[in-house]
Amino acid sequence: MIHNFRLLGNDLRQHSPLQLLVMRFAHCLFLCGWLAAAPQGLNACGTESQPPELALVNGVIYTGDAAHLRVEAMAIHGEKIVAVGTTRQIRALAGPKTRVIDLHGAFAMPGFNDAHIHLASGGQAKLGVDFEGAKSLAEFQLRLRARLAEHKPGEWITGRGWDHTLWPEQRFPTRQDLDAVSKDHPMIFGRVDGHVAVANSLALQLAGITKETKDPAAGSIEHDSAGEPTGMLKESAVGLVSRKIPPLTPEQRRRAVEMALAEVARFGVTSLQDNSAWADFVVYQQLKKEGKLTARITEWLPFSEPLARLNEMRQQGGTEDPWLKTGTLKAILDGSLGSRTAALLAPYADDPSTSGILRFEPEQLKRLAIERDNAGFQLAFHAIGDATNRIALNTFAAVVERNGPRDRRPRIEHAQVVAPEDFPRFAELGVIASMQPVHESSDMRWAQARLGSDRSKGAYAWNTMLKQGARLAFGTDYPVEPVNPLRGLYACVTRELPEGGPAGGWQPQEKIPLEDCLRAYTGGSAYAEFEEGKKGRIAPGQWADIVVLSADITKIPPQQLLTTKVLQTFVGGRLVYGK
Ligand SMILES: [Zn+2]
Ligand SMILES: [Zn+2]
């Protein structure tokens, strides 16, 4: 299909041989320009056009580019795609040194861009006890007991991933449940959402938490009927215990990042918009220096840090490097639905005693937001409940009013429950809805109970967002959810549980077509990090960030998304997963 053949965005058919020569010359200049900017900076480039270093041929390549949605082949030079077209056309560009990979009909597409991830936490979780998917309190205890021998008495045991909504008990674990496994090791384990945690008696004791301890601001210590702490700590109260845990050694920290990066590559994710600690960012910098970074990372900085410190971090972290940069500020405005800490406009349907926990005072939030926006930072607010989403939108409106128009791309992370009248405000204010479709398939088991039927209609509402003109960016919130994007795509098109059901999906009016899900997960995420010209499509001039899958996911029944495998992952033309 000749109309698919493009070289730097030009269609060859329209040009005379002379024009073609000029284009080839321009092509070469273009290569020289960016090669000189690349860190190695060694590649010489004459006035002749160079053959590509790499060609992927015989594929079913989904470009994400509406004008040429499917091509067979692409040419890559350095880190960028330089041409797309038919296998014959791309083979014709190859020189003796071009490495040609035959895709044998496999499906390739732009690498996934996870717009919301906690990479280092994901890796660190692998260092601790993993409770993900435990189906009962007994299984929780069993997994803990299995790891006990690795720790000397007195040594901290940490971990995460438990979810009481999967248990027949349907209740939070208690310190006694943990004490039954060990009273000699201080222990604290985060729920799957990272917003609440359970500690054992020794950990509470080391943190000085007693019957008398007052709740910290924006958090709570759960008490039993006798007034004793149960071991459950919510939101900021988790910090009372977690700050007693000795810090990771540098080796542990690096090991954690390496494990998480390997996991990300295995699932075809090539770009990360990441919320980790500064110490982890320093690890990323080191890996980049060693040429071992296997995904592009935009790191978020903590919104509440003093502005001077934020400026310093931005200075040190940079904002331009295509592999690693900073610039976005993340603030957590409320909790999660699962633990009933997301702030709602009206009380929880299944617990009228609470409407959640708001972690910022709105006027204070506005003041900080205006100041930080004025310093040129992009703002990203974690907002799950409808009360919090409204506060986030109000805050962004106040920022525009005070600081005037600019291309600021404010983001709401999660945007899970939105009041009907607030949906149009996303488009009006240019707010990106940064959502995690896989949350819907995990949360639908209890979301309706938490919210009641009216509010459920505006929950995880991708279709309403799109219809109301909002821009979507997709991610996973890993390790809250597995990093596998195919799980998210499945949720996006079905709104069903992985095992199937409810028939037709939960709140089925909010399903969206696969093409829209893919766009949110590639181009939409790229837009959310100001990278839409460089990522998210397979087209000349874009980074060669590509995933090769075992099936054409645009053609298979949704259930098969869950069994589709990643065969290869390329970042900047370099194979980072597969062979
Ligand atoms: Zn969040
Ligand atoms: Zn998160």
Side-chain angles (χ1 to χ4, degrees), residues 116 118 330 414 477:
H116 184 130
H118 304 266
K330 159 95 180 288
H414 313 304
D477 209 6

Side-chain angles (χ1 to χ4, degrees), residues 116 118 193 195 275 330 332 334-335 382-384 413-414 436 439 477:
H116 184 130
H118 304 266
D193 60 16
H195 284 269
N275 191 191
K330 159 95 180 288
I332 298 178
D334 68 352
H382 161 121
I384 289 191
E413 302 303 314
H414 313 304
Q436 302 75 33
H439 277 333
D477 209 6

